[in-house]
Amino acid sequence: MTPSKENQQNFKVWMQMIQHRTESALGRFLPQETLPPQRLHSAMRYVSLGGGKRVRPLLTHAAGAMFNADPELLDSAASAVEFIHAYSLVHDDLPCMDNDDLRRGKPTCHIAFDEATAMLVGDALQSLAFDVLANSNIDSASRIRMVQELAKASGSFGMAGGQAVDLDATGQNLTLSQLEFMHRHKTGALIRAALLLGAFCGKASAESLHELKVFADKVGLLFQVVDDILDAESSTTELGKTAGKDAAQHKSTYVNLLGLTNAKEKAETLRREAHTSLSSIGTMVGTVSDRLHQLTDFIVDRTY
Ligand code: GRG
């Protein structure tokens, strides 16, 4: 079903509202740059504030709303996930990793500051993420559950593990299943954590959590397939980061493994499957999550 203009407008307003409240929450959790060590705090704020689509916080808020979670708790969960994401971007841009000088339309952290500071920014943001969760105003069982999920998603069985596979794969042609394994860890794990932490802030049954994980797996992979397509088709100005990098670095991607047309077909298949799993959750909880349906489409139809 094609969404009505009013529905689309409504989604845009909701999205801006969540992006705005996420920016405020991140700003509150981050140390002020007047506090020593000023250079580190200033760099932490530089990389965390004023940019990014905030896809992960949007997913946390949308999933949490489906289970009637308190929006203030969702701010903590969403900020923790976004701090891990921001840290990963800073480290990913370092010369020893992807070596990039542009991120979110501005110079990367090691260019604007220096490499050692960029290392510390990543380390400190990672600690801050867990500090935010450990201090969130929720019962201790849910708090521990959130810490466990985020730790797993960001560690060697999640994002950092996916990055290790990516580094090992340099100069090699991956098979489709190896590529999928890498992305399920590198990108998918944190997207899944964003959704689950949202659900943990509310009252989600075991059945709906199970189905939410199915949705998370679809949307996590979908995000990366679209990322590969955008890297091949968009410009650096549009993306706010260097375009065409995958081809320049001879990386295995969905585009070079499947070709552009089949990569787009794969994205459409994942989009359909994601919508189907959402409809199952909707039946379980008795309400349809328009926001998660709309976010799925936003992830596919985005231009950056
Ligand atoms: C060095 C211990 C250590 C760990 C490094 C660098 C790293 C861990 C992991 C890399 C993970 C990574 C950068 C994945 C890429 C995911 C991705 C597609 C990022 C872009 O996300 P968007 O489009 O970015 O949501 P914005 O800027 O909109 O937030």
Side-chain angles (χ1 to χ4, degrees):
M1 192 178 69
T2 317
S4 69
K5 236 189 172 143
E6 189 190 327
N7 220 336
Q8 273 174 340
Q9 192 53 31
N10 192 285
F11 172 62
K12 227 173 147 184
V13 171
W14 172 80
M15 198 158 114
Q16 282 166 355
M17 186 270 286
I18 299 295
Q19 286 166 334
H20 183 75
R21 71 179 290 149
T22 299
E23 183 79 9
S24 308
L26 294 171
R28 281 196 307 276
F29 289 127
L30 281 160
Q32 289 303 321
E33 50 199 17
T34 47
L35 290 175
Q38 282 97 336
R39 186 174 170 79
L40 178 60
H41 290 154
S42 156
M44 287 165 74
R45 297 185 78 88
Y46 174 82
V47 302
S48 306
L49 301 175
K53 298 177 285 298
R54 311 295 193 203
V55 165
R56 293 150 195 82
L58 287 161
L59 290 168
T60 303
H61 276 273
M66 201 163 53
F67 301 108
N68 300 313
D70 171 357
E72 282 187 23
L73 274 181
L74 292 172
D75 285 335
S76 299
S79 299
V81 175
E82 188 66 12
F83 284 137
I84 296 284
H85 172 58
Y87 125 69
S88 81
L89 299 180
V90 171
H91 279 192
D92 191 47
D93 290 332
L94 281 168
C96 63
M97 299 245 182
D98 245 14
N99 191 17
D100 217 322
D101 53 10
L102 189 70
R103 174 67 70 181
R104 293 177 167 174
K106 55 187 192 184
T108 46
C109 189
H110 64 277
I111 299 288
F113 293 82
D114 56 79
E115 258 181 72
T117 300
M119 286 289 299
L120 293 176
V121 162
D123 297 340
L125 286 176
Q126 179 163 211
S127 301
L128 180 59
F130 289 102
D131 188 44
V132 168
L133 284 186
N135 286 299
S136 62
N137 191 17
I138 192 169
D139 62 280
S140 49
S142 305
R143 216 161 40 215
I144 289 171
R145 211 174 178 196
M146 290 202 278
V147 167
Q148 285 172 329
E149 184 61 40
L150 191 62
K152 187 164 179 220
S154 50
S156 62
F157 293 108
M159 183 183 77
Q163 180 78 349
V165 175
D166 192 1
L167 292 174
D168 282 348
T170 306
Q172 285 182 36
N173 293 321
L174 296 183
T175 63
L176 202 53
S177 74
Q178 287 169 325
L179 183 71
E180 202 162 302
F181 178 90
M182 178 177 92
H183 288 312
R184 282 194 186 287
H185 289 77
K186 188 176 147 176
T187 314
L190 199 59
I191 287 183
R192 176 182 151 119
L195 286 158
L196 290 181
L197 262 59
F200 293 164
C201 289
K203 304 228 170 305
S205 66
E207 293 92 332
S208 40
L209 273 180
H210 173 80
E211 207 55 43
L212 188 65
K213 287 176 190 168
V214 176
F215 168 70
D217 285 348
K218 302 289 175 200
V219 88
L221 204 55
L222 176 60
F223 186 92
Q224 189 59 52
V225 176
V226 174
D227 205 69
D228 285 358
I229 295 170
L230 288 174
D231 183 77
E233 282 198 319
S234 290
S235 68
T236 297
T237 315
E238 233 174 335
L239 293 179
K241 60 181 181 179
T242 313
K245 256 201 120 179
D246 295 335
Q249 294 183 336
H250 306 290
K251 286 206 169 185
S252 295
T253 67
Y254 286 98
V255 172
N256 64 30
L257 257 70
L258 299 176
L260 201 50
T261 307
N262 287 337
K264 287 184 180 176
E265 191 43 53
K266 169 123 189 134
E268 286 309 322
T269 305
L270 286 165
R271 182 205 309 245
R272 277 194 301 276
E273 291 173 352
H275 282 303
T276 304
S277 56
L278 274 181
S279 303
S280 310
I281 310 174
T283 312
M284 285 170 196
V285 298
T287 46
V288 180
S289 174
D290 282 345
R291 297 302 178 225
L292 284 177
H293 279 291
Q294 289 160 328
L295 275 172
T296 302
D297 289 333
F298 170 74
I299 284 170
V300 188
D301 300 330
R302 70 200 158 105
T303 54
Y304 66 104

mmCIF file of all heavy atoms in Angstrom, residues 100 102 230-248:
data_model
loop_
_atom_site.group_PDB
_atom_site.id
_atom_site.type_symbol
_atom_site.label_atom_id
_atom_site.label_comp_id
_atom_site.label_asym_id
_atom_site.label_seq_id
_atom_site.Cartn_x
_atom_site.Cartn_y
_atom_site.Cartn_z
ATOM 1 N N ASP A 100 39.643 7.656 6.263
ATOM 2 C CA ASP A 100 38.795 8.632 5.568
ATOM 3 C C ASP A 100 38.913 10.000 6.230
ATOM 4 O O ASP A 100 39.214 10.095 7.420
ATOM 5 C CB ASP A 100 37.337 8.161 5.584
ATOM 6 C CG ASP A 100 36.642 8.515 4.287
ATOM 7 O OD1 ASP A 100 36.923 9.618 3.751
ATOM 8 O OD2 ASP A 100 35.850 7.704 3.792
ATOM 9 N N LEU A 102 36.420 12.487 5.629
ATOM 10 C CA LEU A 102 35.117 13.169 5.646
ATOM 11 C C LEU A 102 34.067 12.271 6.281
ATOM 12 O O LEU A 102 33.943 11.106 5.914
ATOM 13 C CB LEU A 102 34.708 13.505 4.211
ATOM 14 C CG LEU A 102 33.492 14.409 4.042
ATOM 15 C CD1 LEU A 102 33.804 15.835 4.504
ATOM 16 C CD2 LEU A 102 33.034 14.424 2.583
ATOM 17 N N LEU A 230 24.187 2.843 -2.320
ATOM 18 C CA LEU A 230 24.440 4.294 -2.254
ATOM 19 C C LEU A 230 25.916 4.604 -2.509
ATOM 20 O O LEU A 230 26.242 5.578 -3.185
ATOM 21 C CB LEU A 230 24.025 4.847 -0.877
ATOM 22 C CG LEU A 230 22.515 4.926 -0.620
ATOM 23 C CD1 LEU A 230 22.245 5.340 0.823
ATOM 24 C CD2 LEU A 230 21.848 5.905 -1.583
ATOM 25 N N ASP A 231 26.788 3.762 -1.958
ATOM 26 C CA ASP A 231 28.230 3.992 -2.169
ATOM 27 C C ASP A 231 28.569 3.959 -3.663
ATOM 28 O O ASP A 231 29.431 4.698 -4.135
ATOM 29 C CB ASP A 231 29.054 2.935 -1.415
ATOM 30 C CG ASP A 231 30.556 3.194 -1.551
ATOM 31 O OD1 ASP A 231 31.056 4.094 -0.866
ATOM 32 O OD2 ASP A 231 31.212 2.510 -2.376
ATOM 33 N N ALA A 232 27.841 3.100 -4.394
ATOM 34 C CA ALA A 232 28.117 2.968 -5.837
ATOM 35 C C ALA A 232 27.444 4.064 -6.651
ATOM 36 O O ALA A 232 27.935 4.457 -7.697
ATOM 37 C CB ALA A 232 27.638 1.599 -6.322
ATOM 38 N N GLU A 233 26.285 4.564 -6.168
ATOM 39 C CA GLU A 233 25.479 5.449 -7.027
ATOM 40 C C GLU A 233 25.481 6.917 -6.634
ATOM 41 O O GLU A 233 25.187 7.774 -7.466
ATOM 42 C CB GLU A 233 24.016 4.966 -7.011
ATOM 43 C CG GLU A 233 23.760 3.763 -7.881
ATOM 44 C CD GLU A 233 22.284 3.582 -8.196
ATOM 45 O OE1 GLU A 233 21.457 3.771 -7.282
ATOM 46 O OE2 GLU A 233 21.968 3.253 -9.354
ATOM 47 N N SER A 234 25.778 7.219 -5.348
ATOM 48 C CA SER A 234 25.623 8.618 -4.904
ATOM 49 C C SER A 234 26.937 9.380 -4.938
ATOM 50 O O SER A 234 28.006 8.792 -5.119
ATOM 51 C CB SER A 234 25.074 8.657 -3.479
ATOM 52 O OG SER A 234 23.757 8.241 -3.484
ATOM 53 N N SER A 235 26.815 10.683 -4.718
ATOM 54 C CA SER A 235 28.023 11.519 -4.719
ATOM 55 C C SER A 235 28.501 11.767 -3.283
ATOM 56 O O SER A 235 27.734 11.604 -2.325
ATOM 57 C CB SER A 235 27.704 12.865 -5.368
ATOM 58 O OG SER A 235 26.823 13.577 -4.522
ATOM 59 N N THR A 236 29.746 12.177 -3.176
ATOM 60 C CA THR A 236 30.315 12.492 -1.861
ATOM 61 C C THR A 236 29.510 13.597 -1.174
ATOM 62 O O THR A 236 29.234 13.522 0.030
ATOM 63 C CB THR A 236 31.796 12.921 -2.053
ATOM 64 O OG1 THR A 236 32.501 11.800 -2.580
ATOM 65 C CG2 THR A 236 32.441 13.358 -0.745
ATOM 66 N N THR A 237 29.089 14.601 -1.936
ATOM 67 C CA THR A 237 28.323 15.702 -1.343
ATOM 68 C C THR A 237 27.015 15.180 -0.766
ATOM 69 O O THR A 237 26.624 15.527 0.347
ATOM 70 C CB THR A 237 28.015 16.775 -2.413
ATOM 71 O OG1 THR A 237 29.207 16.997 -3.151
ATOM 72 C CG2 THR A 237 27.498 18.061 -1.822
ATOM 73 N N GLU A 238 26.350 14.324 -1.535
ATOM 74 C CA GLU A 238 25.067 13.799 -1.072
ATOM 75 C C GLU A 238 25.235 12.947 0.192
ATOM 76 O O GLU A 238 24.447 13.028 1.126
ATOM 77 C CB GLU A 238 24.463 12.933 -2.172
ATOM 78 C CG GLU A 238 23.045 13.330 -2.536
ATOM 79 C CD GLU A 238 22.552 12.531 -3.745
ATOM 80 O OE1 GLU A 238 23.383 12.060 -4.553
ATOM 81 O OE2 GLU A 238 21.346 12.387 -3.850
ATOM 82 N N LEU A 239 26.281 12.116 0.197
ATOM 83 C CA LEU A 239 26.474 11.174 1.308
ATOM 84 C C LEU A 239 27.092 11.825 2.544
ATOM 85 O O LEU A 239 26.921 11.336 3.659
ATOM 86 C CB LEU A 239 27.371 10.006 0.877
ATOM 87 C CG LEU A 239 26.823 9.040 -0.179
ATOM 88 C CD1 LEU A 239 27.856 7.968 -0.498
ATOM 89 C CD2 LEU A 239 25.534 8.395 0.302
ATOM 90 N N GLY A 240 27.847 12.908 2.344
ATOM 91 C CA GLY A 240 28.562 13.519 3.477
ATOM 92 C C GLY A 240 29.754 12.680 3.903
ATOM 93 O O GLY A 240 30.346 12.875 4.956
ATOM 94 N N LYS A 241 30.079 11.665 3.098
ATOM 95 C CA LYS A 241 31.288 10.849 3.309
ATOM 96 C C LYS A 241 31.767 10.437 1.919
ATOM 97 O O LYS A 241 30.998 10.546 0.944
ATOM 98 C CB LYS A 241 30.997 9.627 4.203
ATOM 99 C CG LYS A 241 29.950 8.680 3.652
ATOM 100 C CD LYS A 241 29.698 7.494 4.593
ATOM 101 C CE LYS A 241 28.675 6.545 4.005
ATOM 102 N NZ LYS A 241 28.377 5.377 4.815
ATOM 103 N N THR A 242 32.997 9.966 1.823
ATOM 104 C CA THR A 242 33.563 9.683 0.503
ATOM 105 C C THR A 242 32.780 8.588 -0.224
ATOM 106 O O THR A 242 32.652 7.477 0.298
ATOM 107 C CB THR A 242 35.042 9.257 0.648
ATOM 108 O OG1 THR A 242 35.672 10.190 1.523
ATOM 109 C CG2 THR A 242 35.747 9.247 -0.697
ATOM 110 N N ALA A 243 32.270 8.936 -1.404
ATOM 111 C CA ALA A 243 31.516 7.944 -2.199
ATOM 112 C C ALA A 243 32.484 7.103 -3.036
ATOM 113 O O ALA A 243 33.639 7.483 -3.244
ATOM 114 C CB ALA A 243 30.531 8.668 -3.111
ATOM 115 N N GLY A 244 32.024 5.942 -3.489
ATOM 116 C CA GLY A 244 32.811 5.096 -4.390
ATOM 117 C C GLY A 244 34.006 4.438 -3.715
ATOM 118 O O GLY A 244 34.910 3.932 -4.372
ATOM 119 N N LYS A 245 33.985 4.421 -2.379
ATOM 120 C CA LYS A 245 35.142 3.886 -1.650
ATOM 121 C C LYS A 245 35.279 2.382 -1.774
ATOM 122 O O LYS A 245 36.379 1.848 -1.811
ATOM 123 C CB LYS A 245 34.995 4.242 -0.170
ATOM 124 C CG LYS A 245 35.910 5.380 0.163
ATOM 125 C CD LYS A 245 36.216 5.482 1.588
ATOM 126 C CE LYS A 245 37.703 5.336 1.789
ATOM 127 N NZ LYS A 245 38.096 5.448 3.152
ATOM 128 N N ASP A 246 34.119 1.706 -1.817
ATOM 129 C CA ASP A 246 34.154 0.241 -1.865
ATOM 130 C C ASP A 246 34.879 -0.228 -3.130
ATOM 131 O O ASP A 246 35.737 -1.102 -3.074
ATOM 132 C CB ASP A 246 32.732 -0.333 -1.834
ATOM 133 C CG ASP A 246 32.032 -0.037 -0.512
ATOM 134 O OD1 ASP A 246 32.745 0.149 0.489
ATOM 135 O OD2 ASP A 246 30.790 0.013 -0.490
ATOM 136 N N ALA A 247 34.527 0.419 -4.257
ATOM 137 C CA ALA A 247 35.162 0.023 -5.520
ATOM 138 C C ALA A 247 36.645 0.408 -5.495
ATOM 139 O O ALA A 247 37.510 -0.392 -5.875
ATOM 140 C CB ALA A 247 34.454 0.701 -6.686
ATOM 141 N N ALA A 248 36.941 1.612 -4.994
ATOM 142 C CA ALA A 248 38.334 2.079 -4.972
ATOM 143 C C ALA A 248 39.206 1.149 -4.124
ATOM 144 O O ALA A 248 40.376 0.920 -4.425
ATOM 145 C CB ALA A 248 38.388 3.498 -4.433
#
